[in-house]
Amino acid sequence: MRKQIAAANWKMNLTLQQGEQLLDDIISQPHSLKENQQVVFAIPAPYLAMAQQKLRNKEQVFVAAQNCHSKKSGAYTGEISVDMLSSLGVHYVVLGHSERREYFNESNAFLAEKVNICLENNITPIFCCGEPLAVREAGTQNEYVALQLKESLYHLTADQLRKVVIAYEPIWAIGTGKTASSAQAQEMHAFIRGNIAAAYNAETANAISILYGGSVKAANAVELFSQPDVDGGLVGGASLVADEFVAIINALQ
Ligand code: PEP
């Protein structure tokens, strides 16, 4: 059975104290996770140790980094290596978020290197893909996303690819309050799964969790997560509000 995931992306928000309070407020509220369901918190790097400590006894709840470097170690001032993440016990890392692609010029090829080093070190990449508004308006979103997958993921073996979580995040829906309709999300998720099936096989495609991201909130999560190819969400703004994020966790089907 595919994993269903409610993943919070705090981005560059909150102080340490605010982050601790938010985690406390979320984990103290009742939420029931089925066997195949997980909650992931992608939080700022300086708070990873705090979050690991706080969540260490919580089953099915994991900490993610928001980025890592493609090299093991060395003269890369300010960067974070997978060894550093592993030494903290971090399980997941978000890769290729549209903000990193746009503001830090992360290319598909560079992301392929990051995917490799994560997998080599048993860290699960949450690989983000998704088209800008102009591409959606031109109707070429499938080709755009297919190229992102091909150039960053399709060098992997099927066994490796199965360890990757994909997050489809249409850029026009991130932080804009403009959510893709559940039909638009399902259509793209089905396309991604079909694309993986064509490049690999149906078994591999069916094993991969594909999350939707882009203005997910408590009010739309049930509808989005009820789509057959939507396996949960990557949530920015709404993950900073405890009641909202708990409702999103509880919307996992
Ligand atoms: C995100 O940060 O990945 C995201 C989808 O943000 P938001 O939920 O605020 O649109």
Side-chain angles (χ1 to χ4, degrees):
M1 198 185 275
R2 284 201 295 269
K3 268 184 299 194
Q4 296 182 332
I5 301 173
N9 177 15
W10 291 3
K11 311 192 189 197
M12 195 177 71
N13 290 302
L14 306 178
T15 62
L16 173 65
Q17 292 74 18
Q18 289 168 332
E20 281 195 275
Q21 185 65 54
L22 180 58
L23 284 179
D24 284 337
D25 290 347
I26 292 169
I27 59 185
S28 63
Q29 291 195 45
H31 52 267
S32 54
L33 293 172
K34 296 191 197 127
E35 211 182 315
N36 66 322
Q37 295 177 340
Q38 296 185 354
V39 177
V40 174
F41 292 94
I43 64 168
Y47 315 153
L48 288 171
M50 173 279 288
Q52 273 297 132
Q53 181 69 11
K54 201 175 269 299
L55 302 175
R56 71 187 183 286
N57 294 324
K58 300 272 166 226
E59 278 181 27
Q60 295 162 247
V61 180
F62 297 94
V63 174
Q66 295 179 9
N67 183 30
C68 70
H69 199 265
S70 62
K71 297 282 191 295
K72 268 283 223 195
S73 63
Y76 299 98
T77 302
E79 290 294 323
I80 301 162
S81 74
V82 287
D83 282 350
M84 294 173 189
L85 298 179
S86 294
S87 69
L88 288 167
V90 170
H91 278 80
Y92 284 98
V93 61
V94 176
L95 291 183
H97 192 282
S98 60
E99 290 148 18
R100 295 221 48 97
R101 291 175 185 267
E102 182 179 352
Y103 305 132
F104 302 95
N105 298 318
E106 294 197 359
S107 66
N108 292 341
F110 186 44
L111 291 168
E113 289 178 32
K114 293 190 181 201
V115 167
N116 291 346
I117 199 149
C118 285
L119 292 175
E120 282 161 18
N121 290 277
N122 292 320
I123 292 183
T124 300
I126 300 177
F127 177 80
C128 302
C129 57
E131 78 286 355
L133 184 60
V135 169
R136 170 65 60 165
E137 284 174 348
T140 53
Q141 63 272 14
N142 289 359
E143 292 80 352
Y144 189 93
V145 170
L147 190 67
Q148 290 179 318
L149 299 176
K150 179 167 178 254
E151 293 189 347
S152 297
L153 297 181
Y154 287 178
H155 61 285
L156 299 173
T157 65
D159 281 350
Q160 288 173 321
L161 188 68
R162 279 172 199 228
K163 295 183 181 135
V164 176
V165 171
I166 293 176
Y168 167 61
E169 300 207 306
I171 298 172
W172 45 272
I174 298 179
T176 58
K178 199 173 167 185
T179 321
S181 68
S182 53
Q184 283 172 317
Q186 168 55 25
E187 189 179 34
M188 177 56 87
H189 284 225
F191 169 76
I192 292 172
R193 216 176 289 290
N195 194 263
I196 296 169
Y200 291 82
N201 51 58
E203 206 194 340
T204 302
N206 286 329
I208 292 177
S209 301
I210 308 176
L211 315 184
Y212 168 77
S215 299
V216 174
K217 34 190 179 290
N220 58 26
V222 171
E223 165 82 16
L224 283 162
F225 297 173
S226 68
Q227 302 306 306
D229 287 293
V230 177
D231 304 309
L234 178 57
V235 186
S239 74
L240 299 172
V241 182
D243 290 350
E244 276 282 311
F245 193 60
V246 170
I248 290 167
I249 296 170
N250 289 328
L252 291 173
Q253 308 282 307

